Amino acid sequence: MAKTALITGGAASGKSRWAATYFSGCDYVLYLRTGKEVDKDTQKRIDYDNKEHLVEWDIVTDVYSEPVKLFTDHKFVIFDDLTDYTNAVINEMCPDIEKITYELTKEIERKIIGDITAMYDSIKEIDGSMVIITMEPGFSVTPENIAHRTFRDILGGINQRIANISDEVYLSASGIQFRIK
């Protein structure tokens, strides 16, 4: 049965480690990373599980555009992370954040939600499972800086939409994950 999950939480709260554990023992997992590399603790977890279970994962880094195009026949996918992806799309679509409009904000949100929805649709077609990792901006104060405030508002709106379409949603705090949906 196809399953989609979103895990959210603060920085260094254990989201990536949890996602790697979620697919522990699964073979042929596709790990899509927006950054240059998977963090060292998560990489150690993946390497250990792969060796322990005699499985192999494919890790793709620098994913900043149309991640669904990287899908092949993997039944298990981790997208790490929606926060960096959102930041990259904002920078691409609005290089001068001081000039962002309400309409452009909504266009950015639609693009990102469309990209995530395309990934969810693709994984459901093959009856696979997918985890999206994101940061939770809802615990912070309202930033005075317009760029930070705009980013927080866009990511918050996207997280809400993705949480609504996900089968499961988890909150990660201090290395402990709580299922909230």
Side-chain angles (χ1 to χ4, degrees):
M1 182 170 115
K3 187 180 344 179
T4 57
L6 175 74
I7 183 157
T8 186
S13 63
K15 299 178 302 293
S16 297
R17 180 188 50 79
W18 177 87
T21 302
Y22 191 85
F23 291 122
S24 177
C26 294
D27 199 11
Y28 204 46
V29 175
L30 176 61
Y31 197 114
L32 300 176
R33 175 78 180 123
T34 53
K36 295 279 182 208
E37 59 188 32
V38 176
D39 72 77
K40 288 178 180 37
D41 289 336
T42 302
Q43 185 65 55
K44 285 180 185 177
R45 163 100 38 203
I46 292 168
D47 292 343
Y48 173 79
D49 285 341
N50 286 353
K51 184 178 176 185
E52 185 73 19
H53 300 286
L54 302 174
V55 297
E56 290 190 32
W57 288 23
D58 291 329
I59 298 174
V60 179
T61 59
D62 293 321
V63 177
Y64 289 109
S65 179
E66 300 181 89
V68 74
K69 288 186 174 181
L70 300 169
F71 282 33
T72 57
D73 57 346
H74 296 85
K75 289 200 58 118
F76 309 104
V77 177
I78 297 172
F79 184 67
D80 186 5
D81 76 82
L82 184 55
T83 308
D84 288 341
Y85 189 75
T86 298
N87 190 52
V89 171
I90 291 170
N91 288 335
E92 176 187 315
M93 293 180 70
C94 185
D96 185 357
I97 199 72
E98 301 283 333
K99 296 181 180 178
I100 196 161
T101 62
Y102 176 80
E103 291 77 18
L104 184 53
T105 297
K106 292 303 171 191
E107 186 179 333
I108 290 167
E109 288 178 4
R110 280 190 300 275
K111 185 215 180 317
I112 296 166
I113 292 165
D115 288 347
I116 301 303
T117 302
M119 288 192 289
Y120 273 11
D121 291 345
S122 180
I123 204 70
K124 285 182 177 185
E125 281 179 23
I126 62 167
D127 200 30
S129 295
M130 180 171 185
V131 172
I132 302 279
I133 300 168
T134 191
M135 289 204 37
E136 179 53 54
F139 296 141
S140 63
V141 297
T142 302
E144 289 185 31
N145 178 298
I146 190 166
H148 295 157
R149 187 170 54 249
T150 300
F151 174 76
R152 183 210 56 181
D153 292 346
I154 290 172
L155 182 62
I158 291 166
N159 283 352
Q160 290 176 46
R161 291 286 305 278
I162 301 307
N164 283 325
I165 65 170
S166 296
D167 299 312
E168 299 174 354
V169 178
Y170 295 85
L171 175 64
S172 185
S174 300
I176 301 171
Q177 291 68 43
F178 303 91
R179 184 173 176 171
I180 56 178
K181 176 184 174 186

